[in-house]
Every structure is written in structure tokens, then in C-alpha cells.
Amino acid sequence: MERATRISVKPVARKGGVTTTVPRMVPEEVPIAFSYGGSSHAVMMATPADLVDFAVGFSITEGIIADRSHISDIELLEAEKGIDIQVTLVDDVGEALRKRRRSMAGPVGCGLCGIESIEQAVREVADVSTVHLSLSHDDIVRAVSLLNDSQPLFRETRAVHGAGFYIPGRGLLAVREDVGRHNALDKLCGAVIRAEEPGASGAVVVTSRLSVEMVQKAAILGAGVLIAISAPTVLAIRTAEAAGMTLVALVRGEDFEIFTHPHRLSLESPAAF
């Protein structure tokens, strides 16, 4: 299935005191529905690219499945205004999901639905404290630099997020882009899982801020290091600390800040910690 990921528009631009029309590329954003066993589960606004990776990554990071082998088929169906990703699960997993849906069904205002949603939002994060990965100062700088150089959609539009998987000595295994930062990371997780690369072998690097969901998804992948060009939230720092994850943020050229578990980084001045 081929869908345009960007289109050309001609906004009226005011530059240097002159009004003119300048062609500009803008990213496409469409509703992407995830359906399991024929029943709709969620709808995300996303860039219509790398959708099989998206399906695998979303299914695992959202706890719908525990392993890629639990998916027996993925079909992309064009809808009038978006795309429906039909995911077929193996029998036992599909039945477990159906039972879970039935147990969650209840009258509006039952009181439990909101609590369940809160518990899901702050769910226990995967433990990555045993991940043995060593990164140098140059690795951090190189990972972000490579990611910046590997985003064709961002170069054209300046309006999408990127996520990459950096392996020391090898570079970037994969890069995925999307209008949504969570979507970009889900697509990346799917790509790494489909490549059968252990999440513990590298670091996740993203162009967005670090929220708790980004930490949760990286931990589910098995990555012990998460790198970002922007800042983390307090809950992201607490969650990474509890998970044993090294959180590196605010990477600007040669400079960056390490918020949790600096032992995985070999720097010139370890005494600073």
C-alpha cells in the first residue's frame, strides 16, 4: 500500500518585509485504526508509512501481545478517510484479548474505568537494569548526529519526529519518522523486533522530549539507554530510575545531560558524578 507521506502547498510567506508565495512540503497525517480479530482497538493520527512496523511495535509496547510470534497476519485496508490495520492474533492470544475486553466492559460512570485507565498509564515498567551496554561521549554525539542526517521527511517538512536505534560500532540499525513521537518510537520498536535484533544491544535515540511513555516503550523493547535532544519530565526520570535505564537528554552538539544511571557511559570526567 502506497500513500503519500507529504504534499506540496503554497503558503503566503512574509520574509524580509516582502510578501511572496513559497512552495513548502508538509507531512501527511491520517487516522490509522488498529483492529484485532475484527474489532477496533485504537485509532492514532499518524504518518502513513512503515505501517507493518507500526502494527508490530504498537501491539507489543501497548501490552496487547508479548512476542511478535503472537501475530499470525497483518493486513492493511484502505478506508475512506484513513487506513485500518487488521491484526490477526494466534488463537490463544486472540481469545485472551477478547476476554479482557469483556471484563473491561461496564456501565458508563462505573468508577472502575477511570482507575483502570490510570493504572495503564502508569503501569509497571520493564526492568532493564541488567543490560550491559557501554557508550562513550562520542557515541552519544554520533547517535544524535546520525539520526539528524537520516530523516528525509523531516528535512523536507520540518514537522515530524524521528526515532533511531544506535548500536556502538555499527551505527543506526533503523530510523523511523512520524508526526507523532510515540508513533515514531512504536514504528522503530517494530523495525528492531522484525530485524530480530535484541533491544539490549543498542540505544534508542529520539528527537522529542522524554515523557514517561517513551521510557516505557524503550524499556519494553529491552533498551538500557534512551537518548533525546529535548528534556525529560519528572515522571520519565522517576520511571527510568526505577527501571534501571540510562536517560540522556538535551543533547546539543558535544553537550548533554545524564539524568539516571550514568554507569553505562564512559566519559572524560567520571568524577563529576
mmCIF file with all atom_site columns, all heavy atoms in Angstrom, residues 34-42 64 87 89 93-106 116:
data_model
loop_
_atom_site.group_PDB
_atom_site.id
_atom_site.type_symbol
_atom_site.label_atom_id
_atom_site.label_alt_id
_atom_site.label_comp_id
_atom_site.label_asym_id
_atom_site.label_entity_id
_atom_site.label_seq_id
_atom_site.pdbx_PDB_ins_code
_atom_site.Cartn_x
_atom_site.Cartn_y
_atom_site.Cartn_z
_atom_site.occupancy
_atom_site.B_iso_or_equiv
_atom_site.pdbx_formal_charge
_atom_site.auth_seq_id
_atom_site.auth_comp_id
_atom_site.auth_asym_id
_atom_site.auth_atom_id
_atom_site.pdbx_PDB_model_num
ATOM 1   N N   . PHE A 1 34  ? -6.236  0.455   14.559 1.00 0.00 ? 34  PHE A N   1
ATOM 2   C CA  . PHE A 1 34  ? -5.729  -0.880  14.869 1.00 0.00 ? 34  PHE A CA  1
ATOM 3   C C   . PHE A 1 34  ? -6.911  -1.761  15.238 1.00 0.00 ? 34  PHE A C   1
ATOM 4   O O   . PHE A 1 34  ? -7.631  -1.471  16.202 1.00 0.00 ? 34  PHE A O   1
ATOM 5   C CB  . PHE A 1 34  ? -4.743  -0.827  16.035 1.00 0.00 ? 34  PHE A CB  1
ATOM 6   C CG  . PHE A 1 34  ? -3.437  -0.157  15.697 1.00 0.00 ? 34  PHE A CG  1
ATOM 7   C CD1 . PHE A 1 34  ? -3.248  1.188   15.951 1.00 0.00 ? 34  PHE A CD1 1
ATOM 8   C CD2 . PHE A 1 34  ? -2.403  -0.872  15.113 1.00 0.00 ? 34  PHE A CD2 1
ATOM 9   C CE1 . PHE A 1 34  ? -2.053  1.814   15.642 1.00 0.00 ? 34  PHE A CE1 1
ATOM 10  C CE2 . PHE A 1 34  ? -1.204  -0.263  14.791 1.00 0.00 ? 34  PHE A CE2 1
ATOM 11  C CZ  . PHE A 1 34  ? -1.021  1.073   15.056 1.00 0.00 ? 34  PHE A CZ  1
ATOM 12  N N   . SER A 1 35  ? -7.102  -2.823  14.467 1.00 0.00 ? 35  SER A N   1
ATOM 13  C CA  . SER A 1 35  ? -8.192  -3.751  14.734 1.00 0.00 ? 35  SER A CA  1
ATOM 14  C C   . SER A 1 35  ? -7.617  -5.140  15.001 1.00 0.00 ? 35  SER A C   1
ATOM 15  O O   . SER A 1 35  ? -6.716  -5.601  14.298 1.00 0.00 ? 35  SER A O   1
ATOM 16  C CB  . SER A 1 35  ? -9.152  -3.825  13.539 1.00 0.00 ? 35  SER A CB  1
ATOM 17  O OG  . SER A 1 35  ? -9.757  -2.567  13.306 1.00 0.00 ? 35  SER A OG  1
ATOM 18  N N   . TYR A 1 36  ? -8.145  -5.791  16.034 1.00 0.00 ? 36  TYR A N   1
ATOM 19  C CA  . TYR A 1 36  ? -7.705  -7.133  16.409 1.00 0.00 ? 36  TYR A CA  1
ATOM 20  C C   . TYR A 1 36  ? -8.906  -8.064  16.393 1.00 0.00 ? 36  TYR A C   1
ATOM 21  O O   . TYR A 1 36  ? -9.922  -7.779  17.046 1.00 0.00 ? 36  TYR A O   1
ATOM 22  C CB  . TYR A 1 36  ? -7.062  -7.126  17.794 1.00 0.00 ? 36  TYR A CB  1
ATOM 23  C CG  . TYR A 1 36  ? -5.816  -6.282  17.873 1.00 0.00 ? 36  TYR A CG  1
ATOM 24  C CD1 . TYR A 1 36  ? -5.899  -4.917  18.148 1.00 0.00 ? 36  TYR A CD1 1
ATOM 25  C CD2 . TYR A 1 36  ? -4.558  -6.841  17.646 1.00 0.00 ? 36  TYR A CD2 1
ATOM 26  C CE1 . TYR A 1 36  ? -4.759  -4.121  18.202 1.00 0.00 ? 36  TYR A CE1 1
ATOM 27  C CE2 . TYR A 1 36  ? -3.410  -6.052  17.699 1.00 0.00 ? 36  TYR A CE2 1
ATOM 28  C CZ  . TYR A 1 36  ? -3.519  -4.708  17.972 1.00 0.00 ? 36  TYR A CZ  1
ATOM 29  O OH  . TYR A 1 36  ? -2.378  -3.918  18.015 1.00 0.00 ? 36  TYR A OH  1
ATOM 30  N N   . GLY A 1 37  ? -8.809  -9.110  15.602 1.00 0.00 ? 37  GLY A N   1
ATOM 31  C CA  . GLY A 1 37  ? -9.925  -10.038 15.488 1.00 0.00 ? 37  GLY A CA  1
ATOM 32  C C   . GLY A 1 37  ? -11.168 -9.383  14.941 1.00 0.00 ? 37  GLY A C   1
ATOM 33  O O   . GLY A 1 37  ? -12.291 -9.781  15.262 1.00 0.00 ? 37  GLY A O   1
ATOM 34  N N   . GLY A 1 38  ? -11.001 -8.351  14.118 1.00 0.00 ? 38  GLY A N   1
ATOM 35  C CA  . GLY A 1 38  ? -12.132 -7.671  13.503 1.00 0.00 ? 38  GLY A CA  1
ATOM 36  C C   . GLY A 1 38  ? -12.739 -6.577  14.356 1.00 0.00 ? 38  GLY A C   1
ATOM 37  O O   . GLY A 1 38  ? -13.660 -5.880  13.913 1.00 0.00 ? 38  GLY A O   1
ATOM 38  N N   . SER A 1 39  ? -12.228 -6.383  15.574 1.00 0.00 ? 39  SER A N   1
ATOM 39  C CA  . SER A 1 39  ? -12.767 -5.349  16.469 1.00 0.00 ? 39  SER A CA  1
ATOM 40  C C   . SER A 1 39  ? -11.762 -4.209  16.609 1.00 0.00 ? 39  SER A C   1
ATOM 41  O O   . SER A 1 39  ? -10.567 -4.448  16.840 1.00 0.00 ? 39  SER A O   1
ATOM 42  C CB  . SER A 1 39  ? -13.052 -5.927  17.862 1.00 0.00 ? 39  SER A CB  1
ATOM 43  O OG  . SER A 1 39  ? -14.041 -6.931  17.779 1.00 0.00 ? 39  SER A OG  1
ATOM 44  N N   . SER A 1 40  ? -12.251 -2.987  16.477 1.00 0.00 ? 40  SER A N   1
ATOM 45  C CA  . SER A 1 40  ? -11.380 -1.826  16.578 1.00 0.00 ? 40  SER A CA  1
ATOM 46  C C   . SER A 1 40  ? -10.859 -1.677  18.008 1.00 0.00 ? 40  SER A C   1
ATOM 47  O O   . SER A 1 40  ? -11.603 -1.803  18.981 1.00 0.00 ? 40  SER A O   1
ATOM 48  C CB  . SER A 1 40  ? -12.147 -0.561  16.172 1.00 0.00 ? 40  SER A CB  1
ATOM 49  O OG  . SER A 1 40  ? -11.312 0.568   16.279 1.00 0.00 ? 40  SER A OG  1
ATOM 50  N N   . HIS A 1 41  ? -9.566  -1.410  18.126 1.00 0.00 ? 41  HIS A N   1
ATOM 51  C CA  . HIS A 1 41  ? -8.937  -1.276  19.446 1.00 0.00 ? 41  HIS A CA  1
ATOM 52  C C   . HIS A 1 41  ? -8.511  0.157   19.728 1.00 0.00 ? 41  HIS A C   1
ATOM 53  O O   . HIS A 1 41  ? -8.677  0.653   20.846 1.00 0.00 ? 41  HIS A O   1
ATOM 54  C CB  . HIS A 1 41  ? -7.713  -2.190  19.521 1.00 0.00 ? 41  HIS A CB  1
ATOM 55  C CG  . HIS A 1 41  ? -7.033  -2.173  20.856 1.00 0.00 ? 41  HIS A CG  1
ATOM 56  N ND1 . HIS A 1 41  ? -7.410  -2.990  21.898 1.00 0.00 ? 41  HIS A ND1 1
ATOM 57  C CD2 . HIS A 1 41  ? -5.993  -1.427  21.322 1.00 0.00 ? 41  HIS A CD2 1
ATOM 58  C CE1 . HIS A 1 41  ? -6.640  -2.751  22.941 1.00 0.00 ? 41  HIS A CE1 1
ATOM 59  N NE2 . HIS A 1 41  ? -5.770  -1.804  22.629 1.00 0.00 ? 41  HIS A NE2 1
ATOM 60  N N   . ALA A 1 42  ? -7.947  0.839   18.731 1.00 0.00 ? 42  ALA A N   1
ATOM 61  C CA  . ALA A 1 42  ? -7.468  2.211   18.922 1.00 0.00 ? 42  ALA A CA  1
ATOM 62  C C   . ALA A 1 42  ? -7.324  2.876   17.562 1.00 0.00 ? 42  ALA A C   1
ATOM 63  O O   . ALA A 1 42  ? -7.154  2.207   16.538 1.00 0.00 ? 42  ALA A O   1
ATOM 64  C CB  . ALA A 1 42  ? -6.132  2.225   19.656 1.00 0.00 ? 42  ALA A CB  1
ATOM 65  N N   . ILE A 1 64  ? -0.532  -5.595  24.177 1.00 0.00 ? 64  ILE A N   1
ATOM 66  C CA  . ILE A 1 64  ? -1.552  -6.446  23.551 1.00 0.00 ? 64  ILE A CA  1
ATOM 67  C C   . ILE A 1 64  ? -0.996  -7.842  23.321 1.00 0.00 ? 64  ILE A C   1
ATOM 68  O O   . ILE A 1 64  ? -1.688  -8.847  23.491 1.00 0.00 ? 64  ILE A O   1
ATOM 69  C CB  . ILE A 1 64  ? -2.037  -5.812  22.230 1.00 0.00 ? 64  ILE A CB  1
ATOM 70  C CG1 . ILE A 1 64  ? -2.731  -4.479  22.550 1.00 0.00 ? 64  ILE A CG1 1
ATOM 71  C CG2 . ILE A 1 64  ? -2.985  -6.742  21.474 1.00 0.00 ? 64  ILE A CG2 1
ATOM 72  C CD1 . ILE A 1 64  ? -2.945  -3.605  21.354 1.00 0.00 ? 64  ILE A CD1 1
ATOM 73  N N   . VAL A 1 87  ? -5.072  -6.763  12.441 1.00 0.00 ? 87  VAL A N   1
ATOM 74  C CA  . VAL A 1 87  ? -4.075  -7.668  13.023 1.00 0.00 ? 87  VAL A CA  1
ATOM 75  C C   . VAL A 1 87  ? -4.776  -8.945  13.467 1.00 0.00 ? 87  VAL A C   1
ATOM 76  O O   . VAL A 1 87  ? -5.723  -8.898  14.265 1.00 0.00 ? 87  VAL A O   1
ATOM 77  C CB  . VAL A 1 87  ? -3.366  -7.012  14.217 1.00 0.00 ? 87  VAL A CB  1
ATOM 78  C CG1 . VAL A 1 87  ? -2.299  -7.964  14.787 1.00 0.00 ? 87  VAL A CG1 1
ATOM 79  C CG2 . VAL A 1 87  ? -2.731  -5.687  13.812 1.00 0.00 ? 87  VAL A CG2 1
ATOM 80  N N   . LEU A 1 89  ? -4.381  -12.348 15.494 1.00 0.00 ? 89  LEU A N   1
ATOM 81  C CA  . LEU A 1 89  ? -3.547  -12.967 16.521 1.00 0.00 ? 89  LEU A CA  1
ATOM 82  C C   . LEU A 1 89  ? -3.716  -14.476 16.518 1.00 0.00 ? 89  LEU A C   1
ATOM 83  O O   . LEU A 1 89  ? -4.724  -15.004 16.034 1.00 0.00 ? 89  LEU A O   1
ATOM 84  C CB  . LEU A 1 89  ? -3.922  -12.413 17.904 1.00 0.00 ? 89  LEU A CB  1
ATOM 85  C CG  . LEU A 1 89  ? -3.867  -10.884 18.063 1.00 0.00 ? 89  LEU A CG  1
ATOM 86  C CD1 . LEU A 1 89  ? -4.355  -10.490 19.456 1.00 0.00 ? 89  LEU A CD1 1
ATOM 87  C CD2 . LEU A 1 89  ? -2.467  -10.367 17.824 1.00 0.00 ? 89  LEU A CD2 1
ATOM 88  N N   . VAL A 1 93  ? -3.980  -16.148 22.090 1.00 0.00 ? 93  VAL A N   1
ATOM 89  C CA  . VAL A 1 93  ? -3.783  -14.734 22.396 1.00 0.00 ? 93  VAL A CA  1
ATOM 90  C C   . VAL A 1 93  ? -5.011  -13.925 22.001 1.00 0.00 ? 93  VAL A C   1
ATOM 91  O O   . VAL A 1 93  ? -5.439  -13.022 22.725 1.00 0.00 ? 93  VAL A O   1
ATOM 92  C CB  . VAL A 1 93  ? -2.524  -14.195 21.678 1.00 0.00 ? 93  VAL A CB  1
ATOM 93  C CG1 . VAL A 1 93  ? -2.328  -12.712 21.969 1.00 0.00 ? 93  VAL A CG1 1
ATOM 94  C CG2 . VAL A 1 93  ? -1.296  -14.982 22.115 1.00 0.00 ? 93  VAL A CG2 1
ATOM 95  N N   . GLY A 1 94  ? -5.594  -14.257 20.855 1.00 0.00 ? 94  GLY A N   1
ATOM 96  C CA  . GLY A 1 94  ? -6.802  -13.569 20.418 1.00 0.00 ? 94  GLY A CA  1
ATOM 97  C C   . GLY A 1 94  ? -7.948  -13.768 21.381 1.00 0.00 ? 94  GLY A C   1
ATOM 98  O O   . GLY A 1 94  ? -8.693  -12.828 21.695 1.00 0.00 ? 94  GLY A O   1
ATOM 99  N N   . GLU A 1 95  ? -8.102  -14.977 21.889 1.00 0.00 ? 95  GLU A N   1
ATOM 100 C CA  . GLU A 1 95  ? -9.165  -15.262 22.844 1.00 0.00 ? 95  GLU A CA  1
ATOM 101 C C   . GLU A 1 95  ? -8.921  -14.538 24.155 1.00 0.00 ? 95  GLU A C   1
ATOM 102 O O   . GLU A 1 95  ? -9.856  -14.016 24.774 1.00 0.00 ? 95  GLU A O   1
ATOM 103 C CB  . GLU A 1 95  ? -9.265  -16.767 23.088 1.00 0.00 ? 95  GLU A CB  1
ATOM 104 C CG  . GLU A 1 95  ? -10.340 -17.181 24.086 1.00 0.00 ? 95  GLU A CG  1
ATOM 105 C CD  . GLU A 1 95  ? -11.735 -16.726 23.689 1.00 0.00 ? 95  GLU A CD  1
ATOM 106 O OE1 . GLU A 1 95  ? -12.004 -16.560 22.483 1.00 0.00 ? 95  GLU A OE1 1
ATOM 107 O OE2 . GLU A 1 95  ? -12.567 -16.529 24.601 1.00 0.00 ? 95  GLU A OE2 1
ATOM 108 N N   . ALA A 1 96  ? -7.669  -14.458 24.599 1.00 0.00 ? 96  ALA A N   1
ATOM 109 C CA  . ALA A 1 96  ? -7.344  -13.740 25.831 1.00 0.00 ? 96  ALA A CA  1
ATOM 110 C C   . ALA A 1 96  ? -7.683  -12.265 25.704 1.00 0.00 ? 96  ALA A C   1
ATOM 111 O O   . ALA A 1 96  ? -8.179  -11.642 26.645 1.00 0.00 ? 96  ALA A O   1
ATOM 112 C CB  . ALA A 1 96  ? -5.865  -13.924 26.164 1.00 0.00 ? 96  ALA A CB  1
ATOM 113 N N   . LEU A 1 97  ? -7.427  -11.688 24.526 1.00 0.00 ? 97  LEU A N   1
ATOM 114 C CA  . LEU A 1 97  ? -7.759  -10.278 24.307 1.00 0.00 ? 97  LEU A CA  1
ATOM 115 C C   . LEU A 1 97  ? -9.267  -10.071 24.322 1.00 0.00 ? 97  LEU A C   1
ATOM 116 O O   . LEU A 1 97  ? -9.765  -9.090  24.895 1.00 0.00 ? 97  LEU A O   1
ATOM 117 C CB  . LEU A 1 97  ? -7.170  -9.799  22.980 1.00 0.00 ? 97  LEU A CB  1
ATOM 118 C CG  . LEU A 1 97  ? -7.468  -8.350  22.603 1.00 0.00 ? 97  LEU A CG  1
ATOM 119 C CD1 . LEU A 1 97  ? -6.914  -7.396  23.665 1.00 0.00 ? 97  LEU A CD1 1
ATOM 120 C CD2 . LEU A 1 97  ? -6.883  -8.012  21.229 1.00 0.00 ? 97  LEU A CD2 1
ATOM 121 N N   . ARG A 1 98  ? -10.010 -10.992 23.732 1.00 0.00 ? 98  ARG A N   1
ATOM 122 C CA  . ARG A 1 98  ? -11.473 -10.882 23.728 1.00 0.00 ? 98  ARG A CA  1
ATOM 123 C C   . ARG A 1 98  ? -12.024 -10.952 25.160 1.00 0.00 ? 98  ARG A C   1
ATOM 124 O O   . ARG A 1 98  ? -12.935 -10.210 25.524 1.00 0.00 ? 98  ARG A O   1
ATOM 125 C CB  . ARG A 1 98  ? -12.086 -11.977 22.855 1.00 0.00 ? 98  ARG A CB  1
ATOM 126 C CG  . ARG A 1 98  ? -11.934 -11.717 21.352 1.00 0.00 ? 98  ARG A CG  1
ATOM 127 C CD  . ARG A 1 98  ? -12.747 -12.695 20.528 1.00 0.00 ? 98  ARG A CD  1
ATOM 128 N NE  . ARG A 1 98  ? -12.169 -14.034 20.562 1.00 0.00 ? 98  ARG A NE  1
ATOM 129 C CZ  . ARG A 1 98  ? -11.228 -14.460 19.723 1.00 0.00 ? 98  ARG A CZ  1
ATOM 130 N NH1 . ARG A 1 98  ? -10.736 -13.639 18.803 1.00 0.00 ? 98  ARG A NH1 1
ATOM 131 N NH2 . ARG A 1 98  ? -10.770 -15.689 19.809 1.00 0.00 ? 98  ARG A NH2 1
ATOM 132 N N   . LYS A 1 99  ? -11.471 -11.849 25.978 1.00 0.00 ? 99  LYS A N   1
ATOM 133 C CA  . LYS A 1 99  ? -11.919 -11.959 27.368 1.00 0.00 ? 99  LYS A CA  1
ATOM 134 C C   . LYS A 1 99  ? -11.584 -10.700 28.147 1.00 0.00 ? 99  LYS A C   1
ATOM 135 O O   . LYS A 1 99  ? -12.363 -10.253 28.989 1.00 0.00 ? 99  LYS A O   1
ATOM 136 C CB  . LYS A 1 99  ? -11.271 -13.182 28.024 1.00 0.00 ? 99  LYS A CB  1
ATOM 137 C CG  . LYS A 1 99  ? -11.821 -14.507 27.529 1.00 0.00 ? 99  LYS A CG  1
ATOM 138 C CD  . LYS A 1 99  ? -11.148 -15.666 28.239 1.00 0.00 ? 99  LYS A CD  1
ATOM 139 C CE  . LYS A 1 99  ? -11.722 -17.001 27.767 1.00 0.00 ? 99  LYS A CE  1
ATOM 140 N NZ  . LYS A 1 99  ? -11.041 -18.150 28.420 1.00 0.00 ? 99  LYS A NZ  1
ATOM 141 N N   . ARG A 1 100 ? -10.420 -10.119 27.880 1.00 0.00 ? 100 ARG A N   1
ATOM 142 C CA  . ARG A 1 100 ? -10.024 -8.905  28.574 1.00 0.00 ? 100 ARG A CA  1
ATOM 143 C C   . ARG A 1 100 ? -10.965 -7.760  28.225 1.00 0.00 ? 100 ARG A C   1
ATOM 144 O O   . ARG A 1 100 ? -11.338 -6.959  29.076 1.00 0.00 ? 100 ARG A O   1
ATOM 145 C CB  . ARG A 1 100 ? -8.583  -8.536  28.202 1.00 0.00 ? 100 ARG A CB  1
ATOM 146 C CG  . ARG A 1 100 ? -8.006  -7.419  29.073 1.00 0.00 ? 100 ARG A CG  1
ATOM 147 C CD  . ARG A 1 100 ? -6.529  -7.277  28.850 1.00 0.00 ? 100 ARG A CD  1
ATOM 148 N NE  . ARG A 1 100 ? -6.247  -6.596  27.603 1.00 0.00 ? 100 ARG A NE  1
ATOM 149 C CZ  . ARG A 1 100 ? -5.013  -6.425  27.116 1.00 0.00 ? 100 ARG A CZ  1
ATOM 150 N NH1 . ARG A 1 100 ? -3.985  -6.936  27.756 1.00 0.00 ? 100 ARG A NH1 1
ATOM 151 N NH2 . ARG A 1 100 ? -4.829  -5.772  25.990 1.00 0.00 ? 100 ARG A NH2 1
ATOM 152 N N   . ARG A 1 101 ? -11.371 -7.692  26.954 1.00 0.00 ? 101 ARG A N   1
ATOM 153 C CA  . ARG A 1 101 ? -12.317 -6.651  26.546 1.00 0.00 ? 101 ARG A CA  1
ATOM 154 C C   . ARG A 1 101 ? -13.641 -6.813  27.266 1.00 0.00 ? 101 ARG A C   1
ATOM 155 O O   . ARG A 1 101 ? -14.242 -5.844  27.727 1.00 0.00 ? 101 ARG A O   1
ATOM 156 C CB  . ARG A 1 101 ? -12.538 -6.726  25.033 1.00 0.00 ? 101 ARG A CB  1
ATOM 157 C CG  . ARG A 1 101 ? -11.426 -6.082  24.206 1.00 0.00 ? 101 ARG A CG  1
ATOM 158 C CD  . ARG A 1 101 ? -11.805 -6.154  22.758 1.00 0.00 ? 101 ARG A CD  1
ATOM 159 N NE  . ARG A 1 101 ? -10.785 -5.576  21.909 1.00 0.00 ? 101 ARG A NE  1
ATOM 160 C CZ  . ARG A 1 101 ? -10.459 -6.054  20.717 1.00 0.00 ? 101 ARG A CZ  1
ATOM 161 N NH1 . ARG A 1 101 ? -11.057 -7.127  20.247 1.00 0.00 ? 101 ARG A NH1 1
ATOM 162 N NH2 . ARG A 1 101 ? -9.538  -5.458  19.987 1.00 0.00 ? 101 ARG A NH2 1
ATOM 163 N N   . ARG A 1 102 ? -14.112 -8.070  27.374 1.00 0.00 ? 102 ARG A N   1
ATOM 164 C CA  . ARG A 1 102 ? -15.400 -8.307  28.027 1.00 0.00 ? 102 ARG A CA  1
ATOM 165 C C   . ARG A 1 102 ? -15.335 -7.927  29.502 1.00 0.00 ? 102 ARG A C   1
ATOM 166 O O   . ARG A 1 102 ? -16.276 -7.363  30.066 1.00 0.00 ? 102 ARG A O   1
ATOM 167 C CB  . ARG A 1 102 ? -15.812 -9.778  27.873 1.00 0.00 ? 102 ARG A CB  1
ATOM 168 C CG  . ARG A 1 102 ? -16.278 -10.143 26.469 1.00 0.00 ? 102 ARG A CG  1
ATOM 169 C CD  . ARG A 1 102 ? -17.035 -11.463 26.472 1.00 0.00 ? 102 ARG A CD  1
ATOM 170 N NE  . ARG A 1 102 ? -16.166 -12.582 26.813 1.00 0.00 ? 102 ARG A NE  1
ATOM 171 C CZ  . ARG A 1 102 ? -15.480 -13.299 25.919 1.00 0.00 ? 102 ARG A CZ  1
ATOM 172 N NH1 . ARG A 1 102 ? -15.542 -12.982 24.626 1.00 0.00 ? 102 ARG A NH1 1
ATOM 173 N NH2 . ARG A 1 102 ? -14.741 -14.309 26.297 1.00 0.00 ? 102 ARG A NH2 1
ATOM 174 N N   . SER A 1 103 ? -14.209 -8.196  30.152 1.00 0.00 ? 103 SER A N   1
ATOM 175 C CA  . SER A 1 103 ? -14.093 -7.889  31.573 1.00 0.00 ? 103 SER A CA  1
ATOM 176 C C   . SER A 1 103 ? -14.014 -6.396  31.827 1.00 0.00 ? 103 SER A C   1
ATOM 177 O O   . SER A 1 103 ? -14.353 -5.910  32.902 1.00 0.00 ? 103 SER A O   1
ATOM 178 C CB  . SER A 1 103 ? -12.853 -8.574  32.163 1.00 0.00 ? 103 SER A CB  1
ATOM 179 O OG  . SER A 1 103 ? -11.663 -7.989  31.668 1.00 0.00 ? 103 SER A OG  1
ATOM 180 N N   . MET A 1 104 ? -13.575 -5.633  30.821 1.00 0.00 ? 104 MET A N   1
ATOM 181 C CA  . MET A 1 104 ? -13.461 -4.183  30.969 1.00 0.00 ? 104 MET A CA  1
ATOM 182 C C   . MET A 1 104 ? -14.762 -3.469  30.645 1.00 0.00 ? 104 MET A C   1
ATOM 183 O O   . MET A 1 104 ? -14.937 -2.305  30.976 1.00 0.00 ? 104 MET A O   1
ATOM 184 C CB  . MET A 1 104 ? -12.351 -3.645  30.056 1.00 0.00 ? 104 MET A CB  1
ATOM 185 C CG  . MET A 1 104 ? -10.958 -4.054  30.491 1.00 0.00 ? 104 MET A CG  1
ATOM 186 S SD  . MET A 1 104 ? -9.698  -3.511  29.332 1.00 0.00 ? 104 MET A SD  1
ATOM 187 C CE  . MET A 1 104 ? -9.802  -1.738  29.519 1.00 0.00 ? 104 MET A CE  1
ATOM 188 N N   . ALA A 1 105 ? -15.689 -4.179  29.990 1.00 0.00 ? 105 ALA A N   1
ATOM 189 C CA  . ALA A 1 105 ? -16.949 -3.552  29.602 1.00 0.00 ? 105 ALA A CA  1
ATOM 190 C C   . ALA A 1 105 ? -17.816 -3.341  30.835 1.00 0.00 ? 105 ALA A C   1
ATOM 191 O O   . ALA A 1 105 ? -17.916 -4.192  31.709 1.00 0.00 ? 105 ALA A O   1
ATOM 192 C CB  . ALA A 1 105 ? -17.682 -4.433  28.588 1.00 0.00 ? 105 ALA A CB  1
ATOM 193 N N   . GLY A 1 106 ? -18.445 -2.178  30.913 1.00 0.00 ? 106 GLY A N   1
ATOM 194 C CA  . GLY A 1 106 ? -19.306 -1.904  32.053 1.00 0.00 ? 106 GLY A CA  1
ATOM 195 C C   . GLY A 1 106 ? -20.088 -0.634  31.810 1.00 0.00 ? 106 GLY A C   1
ATOM 196 O O   . GLY A 1 106 ? -19.855 0.064   30.827 1.00 0.00 ? 106 GLY A O   1
ATOM 197 N N   . GLU A 1 116 ? -8.780  2.050   35.921 1.00 0.00 ? 116 GLU A N   1
ATOM 198 C CA  . GLU A 1 116 ? -8.054  1.150   35.021 1.00 0.00 ? 116 GLU A CA  1
ATOM 199 C C   . GLU A 1 116 ? -7.208  1.940   34.047 1.00 0.00 ? 116 GLU A C   1
ATOM 200 O O   . GLU A 1 116 ? -6.074  1.566   33.725 1.00 0.00 ? 116 GLU A O   1
ATOM 201 C CB  . GLU A 1 116 ? -9.040  0.246   34.279 1.00 0.00 ? 116 GLU A CB  1
ATOM 202 C CG  . GLU A 1 116 ? -9.663  -0.817  35.177 1.00 0.00 ? 116 GLU A CG  1
ATOM 203 C CD  . GLU A 1 116 ? -10.774 -1.570  34.481 1.00 0.00 ? 116 GLU A CD  1
ATOM 204 O OE1 . GLU A 1 116 ? -11.167 -1.149  33.380 1.00 0.00 ? 116 GLU A OE1 1
ATOM 205 O OE2 . GLU A 1 116 ? -11.248 -2.574  35.033 1.00 0.00 ? 116 GLU A OE2 1
#
